[in-house]
């Protein structure tokens, strides 16, 4: 079975961030940051055996209580997440002609986590390695981005008493827009244009 949960706690965390940033040229930047979050509560989907009220086999039979596996969001307790991040944004200002307006953006995050609940091996949804890089082109009212995104394996939750993971995956996204005037912009967007698959495993 699948159900909701009216007894969920809020996502609560005490967070600390420290960054060193260097800006140069026209809109260019390099930054290095470290972060730490003391998580007081989070929510995760998990499957547990619960009593379920079901009807009898024949009309008129009394209701019965049976044990069934029910997946629902549950309070995951607390924990912590910490890591470092590197980011770069660079516009190639020295290019001329049709290449004027070309730029790149890059971001890499290395993170790890620990949780208090012994049923979980880590913070749900958190990857150790995350990479986002984009090729940018902007000129006049036209703007476009071709982006490569990667996430390493991440913990999803507990199912059938076992830790469930989502394998590492990457994808390529594209978007372009044109500003016609101050109140109208048209755009086209393609997500996962190389049709990469994300497969679950236990």
């Amino acid at each position: 079975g699948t159900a909701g949960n009216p007894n969920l706690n809020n996502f609560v965390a005490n967070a600390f961030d420290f960054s060193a940033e260097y800006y140069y040229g026209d809109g260019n930047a390099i930054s290095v940051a470290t972060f730490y979050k003391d998580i007081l509560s989070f929510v995760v989907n998990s499957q547990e055996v619960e009593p379920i009220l079901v009807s009898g086999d024949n009309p008129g039979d009394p209701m019965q209580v049976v044990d069934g596996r029910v997946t629902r969001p549950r309070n995951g307790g607390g924990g912590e997440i910490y890591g470092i991040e590197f980011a770069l944004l660079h516009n190639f200002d020295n290019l001329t002609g049709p290449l004027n307006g070309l730029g790149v953006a890059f971001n890499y995050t290395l993170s790890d986590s620990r949780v208090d609940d012994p049923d979980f091996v880590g913070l749900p949804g958190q990857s150790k390695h995350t990479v986002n890089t984009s090729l940018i082109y902007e000129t006049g009212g036209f703007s476009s981005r071709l982006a490569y995104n990667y996430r390493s394996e991440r913990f999803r939750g507990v199912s059938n008493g076992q830790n469930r993971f989502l394998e590492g995956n990457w994808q390529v996204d594209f978007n372009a827009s044109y500003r016609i005037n101050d109140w109208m912009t048209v755009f086209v967007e393609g997500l996962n244009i190389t049709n990469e698959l994300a497969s679950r495993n236990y």
Side-chain angles (χ1 to χ4, degrees):
T2 302
N5 187 349
N7 300 312
L8 295 178
N9 296 326
N10 294 326
F11 284 88
V12 180
N14 297 316
F16 168 82
D17 296 270
F18 177 81
S19 65
E21 305 166 1
Y22 174 66
Y23 298 90
Y24 64 97
D26 186 13
N28 304 325
I30 298 176
S31 68
V32 178
T34 182
F35 58 89
Y36 173 81
K37 299 181 188 298
D38 178 21
I39 302 169
L40 306 181
S41 65
F42 63 89
V43 174
V44 63
N45 283 329
S46 65
Q47 188 179 75
E48 296 181 6
V49 176
E50 299 180 9
I52 301 174
L53 191 64
V54 299
S55 60
D57 295 334
N58 301 306
D61 286 351
M63 302 290 284
Q64 304 176 45
V65 176
V66 299
D67 288 336
R69 295 188 179 274
V70 178
T71 299
R72 66 169 77 235
R74 305 178 194 275
N75 295 312
E80 58 185 4
I81 182 171
Y82 44 88
I84 59 174
E85 178 185 53
F86 172 77
L88 166 71
L89 174 62
H90 182 78
N91 297 294
F92 297 101
D93 300 328
N94 57 338
L95 299 178
T96 59
L99 295 180
N100 184 27
L102 197 62
V104 293
F106 175 80
N107 177 281
Y108 169 71
T109 303
L110 172 66
S111 63
D112 205 351
S113 65
R114 179 199 60 79
V115 293
D116 298 333
D117 196 319
D119 291 336
F120 305 135
V121 297
L123 187 68
Q126 178 258 327
S127 295
K128 186 172 184 178
H129 304 281
T130 305
V131 177
N132 307 100
T133 183
S134 301
L135 181 65
I136 306 167
Y137 183 73
E138 296 183 352
T139 179
F142 177 77
S143 175
S144 65
R145 287 178 181 247
L146 182 66
Y148 168 85
N149 308 293
Y150 169 76
R151 293 185 65 184
S152 60
E153 180 186 71
R154 52 201 179 273
F155 173 60
R156 291 294 300 274
V158 178
S159 179
N160 294 325
Q162 299 188 39
N163 291 308
R164 181 180 179 184
F165 295 86
L166 186 64
E167 292 177 340
N169 67 293
W170 62 273
Q171 71 181 53
V172 177
D173 304 327
F174 172 79
N175 69 70
S177 65
Y178 180 72
R179 183 171 57 86
I180 298 175
N181 51 43
D182 290 340
W183 54 272
M184 181 179 293
T185 299
V186 294
F187 69 92
V188 61
E189 182 177 59
L191 301 179
N192 193 19
I193 60 177
T194 53
N195 198 31
E196 299 302 318
L197 301 178
S199 57
R200 293 179 175 87
N201 64 355
Y202 286 95

